[in-house]
Amino acid sequence: MIPTVSASGLSLRYGRAQALDDVSLRLGQGVTGLLGPNGAGKTTLLRVLATAVPADRGAFAVLGHDPATPAGRQELRRRLGYLPQTPGFHPDFTAFEFVDYVAILKELTDRAARHREVRRVLDEVDLADVRGKRIKKLSGGMRQRVALAAALVGDPGFLVLDEPTVGLDPEQRMRFRELIAQAGEGRTVLLSTHQTEDVAMLCHRVLVMAGGRIRFDGTPAELTARAAGRVWISTERDPAAKAGWRTGTGTFRNVGSPPDGADLLEPTLEDGYLLTLDGAGAEVAA
Amino acid sequence: MRVSRQARAIRQLLLPAARALPWRAPAAGAGLGLLILAVARIVDSDPAPWLAAVLLRCAILADAVGLAFLMDDPARHTTATVPTRRALRTAVRLALITPVTALWWTAALLLVPSQARPPAGALTLEAAAACVLALAAGAAAVRLTDALAPGPSVAAAFLFTAVVAPLLLPDRWALFVAPGDARWEAAHQRWAGVLVGAVLLWGMCLPEPVRRRPGALRVRSPSGTSDPSRTW
């Protein structure tokens, strides 16, 4: 794999909180999912890789550009698309005007070519019909797509998406999955999310973060396999289970260390994720 | 080549940046300032010089409070990692607001009857210092917090400081002195110092990246543990 992103020893501390703790990774083309609980350091890692904040220690490069120097950072930013957790807009701009504004900030200075590019990305996110509509009149899902179009403009080689499906209804999330899958063709996408289904459906690789460190790095199938033989159903909640809940059928679905003779179930990615976090918690506590 | 690319970007940025600026608050501040002067002129067409200075300072304060909103940018997170540097983007904002503010200040001076008008150069220095200080405070708030629109907080703090400062400043540091007062010259040397300090403060908010120093203001964002004082 030729890495688009290579980072080693990234650390960042906010006061007493160690937001990133010696994070090293290499990312290649395709969509990589980043899972983790709140406060795990996902957004911080994304902001560091997007050059929005500098790390205390460590180094990284994106497409061969080192952000430690102003020139390197600027070159990196020319090849970067970033969708922040809470994207903001100028509400009186139309979708076209806003993406065009971002395109100018991305130094696409040939007006005709830039307008073609803006139309292309708005088509790509399925907003061609509303490109002349003011952003304040668009729905939340459409606004999120405007933000994605702004990230995609200029055809970046590295796309950083911070929880892009938060607050979207199921239909909008499905649509967004399509868009992210498309975006991952021929470029590197790092997708932070709480939605394990998104990772299962979109990502060829998944990272799990907790306590500022990467606790798992592998394929979604490998993460799911961590829960093989550790998910079972019972008629009562098993007190030995790490997690357990009553399902719609009245039985209890348990995750953890099953008793002998337990009625085992096929695990999901979420089960593997929960068990990975549980192990991470034990490790941190130790 | 890089310079010419950025120069072209700046030229093309002028129109959308002008539309993106939060004009309402600065316009309201400037309008209020002119209204104060216009009403005062209607009420008293020949005010004493000290009263004219007070009225002009009220107008300056109103305008500066409006300018505290100028750095508000609802799209700041979306455009946080674009290659066009922060300093250039700020320069575009400044280039757009400066001629308007200069025109406003000219109109404000002309609203004061010439026989009562305090020395225009000295009052212009006060106006420049107050306006740059408000803009620098706005820039610092943007730099040190994650807020999209810190303008209201900055304006409130600026207004409070402007009202309280004359009451708290010791006589030897007096800034708001009447024309003809023996301390006039010294006060305006201090105003020049305020202007230089404001420019320096603003300048410190521009370079990328800003590294946190021990004891620097730290502000937690509502989610996660991100610290916006560390923005590039």
Side-chain angles (χ1 to χ4, degrees):
Chain A
M1 177 180 80
I2 301 168
T4 306
V5 181
S6 63
S8 66
L10 293 177
S11 296
L12 196 154
R13 178 178 279 279
Y14 297 135
R16 289 182 187 172
Q18 187 75 45
L20 289 182
D21 186 6
D22 197 24
V23 171
S24 298
L25 55 85
R26 286 155 75 88
L27 303 177
Q29 281 192 359
V31 183
T32 299
L34 183 58
L35 289 171
N38 286 330
K42 303 187 302 294
T43 291
T44 302
L45 177 61
L46 263 53
R47 292 182 75 178
V48 167
L49 294 178
T51 74
V53 293
D56 292 332
R57 285 200 313 276
F60 74 99
V62 176
L63 296 159
H65 300 293
D66 178 0
T69 64
R73 187 167 58 251
Q74 206 165 9
E75 279 304 318
L76 189 163
R77 286 179 170 187
R78 287 187 178 118
R79 286 156 181 78
L80 173 77
Y82 176 48
L83 173 60
Q85 199 171 13
T86 49
F89 310 93
H90 295 296
D92 287 326
F93 281 37
T94 65
F96 183 91
E97 287 167 342
F98 184 75
V99 179
D100 190 48
Y101 173 56
V102 175
I104 296 170
L105 291 172
K106 287 188 173 182
E107 298 176 344
L108 305 184
T109 52
D110 181 318
R111 189 183 165 88
R114 187 180 72 239
H115 283 188
R116 273 199 305 277
E117 171 67 0
V118 172
R119 277 192 289 272
R120 181 189 72 77
V121 291
L122 286 171
D123 281 350
E124 200 174 322
V125 301
D126 206 13
L127 285 177
D129 293 343
V130 295
R131 67 178 175 223
K133 208 168 175 180
R134 286 181 196 275
I135 291 174
K136 65 183 174 193
K137 301 258 171 96
L138 299 179
S139 68
M142 284 180 172
R143 286 184 198 190
Q144 199 72 348
R145 278 187 272 159
V146 173
L148 181 61
L152 286 170
V153 77
D155 197 18
F158 179 41
L159 194 58
V160 177
L161 308 175
D162 196 354
E163 299 190 26
T165 55
V166 161
L168 301 185
D169 65 35
E171 193 183 340
Q172 288 172 332
R173 270 181 52 207
M174 294 286 273
R175 179 73 192 108
F176 231 84
R177 277 183 198 157
E178 282 179 50
L179 296 173
I180 294 168
Q182 271 174 34
E185 290 169 13
R187 59 164 73 91
T188 299
V189 179
L190 183 56
L191 166 71
S192 166
T193 181
H194 285 296
Q195 310 288 344
T196 49
E197 316 95 274
D198 288 349
V199 171
M201 291 189 186
L202 280 171
C203 302
H204 73 289
R205 184 175 163 204
V206 57
L207 308 172
V208 178
M209 283 191 81
R213 297 175 70 180
I214 292 180
R215 307 291 178 167
F216 175 86
D217 181 354
T219 65
E222 287 167 345
L223 183 57
T224 305
R226 284 195 156 197
R230 300 184 67 186
V231 185
W232 71 101
I233 52 168
S234 58
T235 52
E236 306 262 321
R237 191 191 187 284
D238 194 328
K242 303 287 184 192
W245 59 91
R246 190 188 175 95
T247 65
T249 60
T251 57
F252 283 79
R253 191 175 197 280
N254 304 289
V255 181
S257 300
D260 291 339
D263 191 357
L264 296 177
L265 289 177
E266 273 297 308
T268 64
L269 184 80
E270 191 168 53
D271 299 324
Y273 167 64
L274 288 173
L275 287 168
T276 300
L277 284 187
D278 185 58
E283 192 180 323
V284 170
Chain B
M1 183 186 160
R2 195 174 67 193
V3 171
S4 68
R5 194 197 291 194
Q6 294 213 330
R8 278 202 303 273
I10 289 170
R11 214 169 40 239
Q12 296 188 16
L13 202 54
L14 283 173
L15 188 61
R19 288 195 56 212
L21 278 184
W23 287 105
R24 274 184 209 154
L32 178 63
L34 292 180
L35 187 67
I36 290 167
L37 294 169
V39 169
R41 180 159 187 161
I42 291 166
V43 172
D44 182 0
S45 60
D46 187 19
W50 70 266
L51 180 58
V54 168
L55 291 169
L56 275 168
R57 282 173 180 150
C58 288
I60 290 169
L61 180 60
D63 188 59
V65 166
L67 288 177
F69 289 78
L70 202 76
M71 294 297 147
D72 289 3
D73 181 2
R76 62 175 288 205
H77 297 316
T78 315
T79 58
T81 60
V82 294
T84 302
R85 292 169 200 268
R86 179 196 299 266
L88 289 179
R89 284 182 275 157
T90 305
V92 169
R93 288 189 167 221
L94 191 60
L96 289 165
I97 199 70
T98 301
V100 181
T101 305
L103 276 176
W104 168 84
W105 178 239
T106 307
L109 281 175
L110 291 175
L111 273 172
V112 177
S114 56
Q115 68 276 13
R117 195 177 300 148
L123 261 291
T124 302
L125 175 62
E126 290 185 26
C131 291
V132 174
L133 190 59
L135 289 167
V142 165
R143 200 61 193 259
L144 296 172
T145 74
D146 237 359
L148 300 175
S153 311
V154 174
F158 187 84
L159 187 60
F160 178 77
T161 306
V163 170
V164 168
L167 304 173
L168 297 183
L169 281 177
D171 196 48
R172 65 181 186 282
W173 292 350
L175 285 167
F176 303 95
V177 299
D181 190 304
R183 299 169 300 169
W184 181 262
E185 280 298 319
H188 285 87
Q189 284 172 7
R190 288 190 282 275
W191 274 112
V194 172
L195 177 58
V196 170
V199 170
L200 288 176
L201 172 64
W202 202 356
M204 283 165 60
C205 297
L206 294 180
E208 302 172 86
V210 164
R211 298 254 172 209
R212 185 177 61 196
R213 293 170 185 81
L217 175 63
R218 288 167 200 162
V219 184
R220 284 172 81 99
S221 68
S223 63
T225 52
S226 59
D227 178 349
S229 69
R230 305 168 50 84
T231 51
W232 249 317

